[in-house]
Amino acid sequence: MGNPLLPLQLWLDDHPVLQNWLYNLVPVLVIVLLALALRQGLKQPIWAEAARRIRRRPAALWAIGIIGFYGLIAFSDSIGLYDAKKQERVSLLDAISRREKERYYSAPLATMTTGEAFPKPLKEKHILGTDGKGDDVLYQTLKGARTAFIIGGLTSLLTIPVGIILGLLSGFYSGTKYKWIDDLITYIYTVISSIPSILLQIAFVMVLGKGIFQICIALGMARWVGLCRQVRGETLRHREREYVRGARALGVSTWGILTRHILPNLLPTVIIFTTLGISGLILSEAILSYLGVGVGDGVGSWGNMINASRDELAREPILWWNLASASTAMLGIVLAFNLLGDALRDAIDPRLRS
Amino acid sequence: MLNYIVRRVLYAIPTLIGVLLVTWFLFFKTASPEVIARRNLSSRAPTQAQIQSWIKGHGYDKPPLDQLQNSTLDMMRFRFGKSDATKEDILERVKKGVVPSFTIGFNSFVATVFFAVIFAAIAAYFRGTYVDTMTTVICVIGMSLVYMIYIIGFQFLFCKILKLGPTWGFNPDENLIKYILIPTIIGVVAGLATEIRLYRTFLLEEINLDYVRTARAKGVAEPAVLLKHVLKNALIPIITNTVAVLPGLILGSLLLENFFGIPGLGSYLVEAISANDFTVVRAMVFLGTLLYIVGLILTDIAYALVDPRVRLS
Amino acid sequence: MSDVLLSVENLKTYFRTSRGIVKAVDGVSFTVEKGKTRALVGESGCGKSMTALSILQLVPEPAGYIDGGKIVFEGRDLLDLTWSDMRTVRGKDIGMIFQEPMTSLNPTFTIGSQLSEAMTIHGKDFGTAIERAVELLDLVGIKDARQTLRQYPHELSGGMRQRVMIAIALSNNPKLLIADEPTTALDVTVQAQILRLLKDLQERLGMAVLMITHNLGIVSEIADDVSVMYAGQVVEESATGALFSMPRHPYTQGLFASLPARNPRGQDLETLEGIVPDAAAWPSGCRFAERCKKKFDACSVPAPVVEGVRCHLMVSGGTGGVENGEWGVGNQPPNSPLTTPHSPDAPEAIDA
């Protein structure tokens, strides 16, 4: 028995275009799902009230704006174009912001290289300077947006179904005739959550290898436990409510109860968990990349940029723009998701708990 | 009470066994021995013979039950074997690394919880005012920063500019404080943001409860209401949550020791990662989990001690 | 030397909410005399609890605030006091007990610690406080006082916790005890015990009591004077006997008329039609007008308070708008309440 994912990974590696499509599909899927959920949800007065509350919080609106802005950048990196001059496929983002590779470091808006004994003139203007390999810092930063969205989106897409299904089953059968289901699932998530998540993630990437898909699996494995626990708690709460008992008395099937009565009530939990989780996922990717078990070279990511900037601060003069750019970009999106998650939690939770 | 402790420890055993199963599965079953050997030997373009000898040497060719038994029992007896990369005994290196890592870790833990409670209490006392809002804003921003930024920023500030301590290095014969002071401080600052917000929430949840109104009706002054009545009750969720600080300490250990050149458990793991040293990584995963489980047990015990409703049942 | 211990004058307590300003207490006035009991009666949402909380300035902040009025206790306006002066009133001159004994005590401190705290913060030393605590627990009918001191709230029943609350409130011999629905959350038999206890203590200690309740049975049992509240205002004020024998405000009349025991068997129950208006937007005229069977033109403006009744019918002898067959103020409905008050063992609550 080997790595169950290996065939899939190898196949993906052999079909880079399709792999690309998969990654591009993810943000689209996420947005479509969100829009559907929103449209469905807004019909209910509870959600309309929640939306109203969010609209009144400026921080949340800014957050949505920032996420949208980053999303746009990520999306532009997903649109494929054909560069006839260079005869290769590039993305829209590439077409707009890619710059010539220089020889060496250069400061933002500088005309000569920095840190060399004999500075040479630059081929192009670099708004945020270049890094050690001569690549434009702004360009790399922008490329990182797509990676962040994929990591956040794909991991969430993997985590959510697993967390919901296992949590539902576990909570629903708790204490009943089939309580072994609950015991088993509880045991599994207790075991997995006993391993500190950073260690679990490191172990997974070491075994599966570096890469975006592998990171998503590694991050997801540590993540689903949290959702499963919360979903289980919510299921237990709702299971005892009168309307569920009433439905059973009326003869509604188990499946019916799960999907029509309990599942909709899990939605707020899932949404809040996911939104707040994405910021953690993006931060985790940076940390894993820094430790050398990240997305791997060749993929533009803010974690790789920070990793590369390790030695730059010790130099004279200090080369700070690589680090500053990557961390600011990351701070922006992480802060936005944190603010949005907080606003959602305040808007949705008390409403439904009262 | 003793009953409770014993039960708690006993519950931990199947969990630990489960963890060992998971790590065994992870390291032995998710990829074929070939692939793992290749990954491990990746730096030195291995020949087929080297791969085979690696597989034999690490026991990947034995039947699964044997593998399981060996790795599980070995782990539990702390027989970690030798490092793939450096061939040194893992347990020996671990023993050497324990002191610096635990010193930084334990001190960070205590200081983080202590200061988090203080700042949370201040924010809760001045709830609704700009003090509270500022605290929340700073904490949200703080939660959104990558750990590395904290280290880079404060290392630059404290070591380069203020010259309060060495940027790099460690000498076990000298006074430990000199080398661990700044890493500990950074570890505390990095972990404060989340904890302050959390504790503030716990305090504010209690403030609106009936018994607080009773205390005020008796004539208790506001500071005493917060620091005596509310805090005592909020300590219950606070203590239960201190266990969540532990993974942060592990992460801190990895990064801080790496930045400050401190030869602890964290830097050992980071080296092992770069060297694709599976044996060491396995050992460290086990150790980290063991520590975490011990932390969980201690937290449960502490919770039982603090909440009279649990203590007396 | 006046007999009035507490005089609440035109008290206004408002709340800021997302729907606007809620005027929970909107111009409430009443007095409590030394050694006597006044009941503040009304249904849920009429503002009676908020009135009680306002006296000790325990209104939930930051949403709630006292907008105006005076609360004169022993000659001083409590709303003018500094925070530290107010703290000497709380728990010392005025004691208060609340509705939910299950959650009103701190779960992490012993009974003894919470009881003695009530005394130590007002100057007694710990030793004296403990001794007094034992006396107090005896006083409120808790056997085995010393044992109870070492217990935690969750080890006591609801009735016992309420007794402890009473002991705490009485620990510094207050001149006034405010009781906010102290028996609502208790079993019926325990209710009776607690009420008897309160009445007993009041007589023994010569204390004044302000009793907040929605239960007319309790009112008849222990109150000397009654103020009936509706929609944030006092609509009728009487001595208890007078209220029960001759309710004057249409709301009060409706309340008594709708008591099941007052309605003969086999006939439909008399009810008060309609519901309480939205507190965020009180009607501009008489607030009871839309439900009132006797409303007439004058009721579109706020009613004056005449002889303790807030009703236009009190003005000009009360003949306005009376049709044949309808009964007017002063005349009794067919099923009028008896003069003997109801026994509290089967209390009749007013809530819809």
Side-chain angles (χ1 to χ4, degrees), chain A residues 1-6 9 187 190-200 202-210 214 283 286-287 290-293 303 306 309-310 313-314 316 318 323 327 330-331 334-336 338-339 342 345, chain B residues 14-15 17-19 21-23 25-32 35-36 39 140-141 143-149 152 156 160 197 247 250-251 254-255 258-259 269-270 272-274 276-278 281 284-285 288-289 292-293 296:
Chain A
M1 183 182 155
N3 178 0
L5 297 160
L6 193 57
Q9 276 169 239
Y187 179 67
T190 306
V191 165
I192 296 192
S193 63
S194 300
I195 308 178
S197 40
I198 181 78
L199 297 177
L200 187 62
I202 290 175
F204 261 98
V205 180
M206 287 209 61
V207 172
L208 297 175
K210 297 191 239 192
Q214 289 86 326
L283 290 174
I287 294 176
Y290 179 83
L291 291 173
V293 276
I306 296 184
S309 74
R310 240 198 269 213
L313 293 170
E316 285 302 322
I318 299 177
L323 177 67
S327 20
M330 199 164 27
L331 175 62
V334 170
L335 190 56
N338 274 338
L339 288 174
D342 271 354
R345 185 169 47 191
Chain B
T15 311
I17 295 180
V19 169
L21 274 171
V22 167
T23 46
F25 181 81
L26 189 54
F27 281 101
F28 284 83
K29 284 297 161 204
T30 48
S32 71
V35 172
I36 296 195
R39 284 240 173 79
V140 173
I141 296 181
M143 276 166 55
S144 310
L145 290 171
V146 194
Y147 208 109
M148 283 90 77
I149 298 300
I152 294 173
F156 192 70
K160 274 256 176 70
R197 276 199 90 204
I250 295 180
L251 178 61
L254 291 179
L255 295 174
N258 183 262
F259 268 90
L269 179 55
V270 175
I273 295 175
S274 328
N276 268 317
D277 193 334
F278 275 61
V281 173
M284 299 308 283
V285 169
T289 309
Y292 190 52
I293 292 182
L296 285 168

Side-chain angles (χ1 to χ4, degrees), chain C residues 194-241:
Chain C
I194 298 290
L195 280 178
R196 264 193 284 275
L197 175 64
L198 284 174
K199 217 165 115 170
D200 186 46
L201 289 170
Q202 184 197 18
E203 282 168 15
R204 273 211 258 171
L205 305 173
M207 188 173 61
V209 174
L210 176 64
M211 169 73 77
I212 317 291
T213 180
H214 60 263
N215 188 323
L216 288 172
I218 293 182
V219 175
S220 67
E221 178 77 1
I222 83 170
D224 299 308
D225 302 296
V226 188
S227 292
V228 180
M229 280 185 70
Y230 182 80
Q233 296 171 320
V234 174
V235 295
E236 182 165 355
E237 185 185 306
S238 292
T240 311

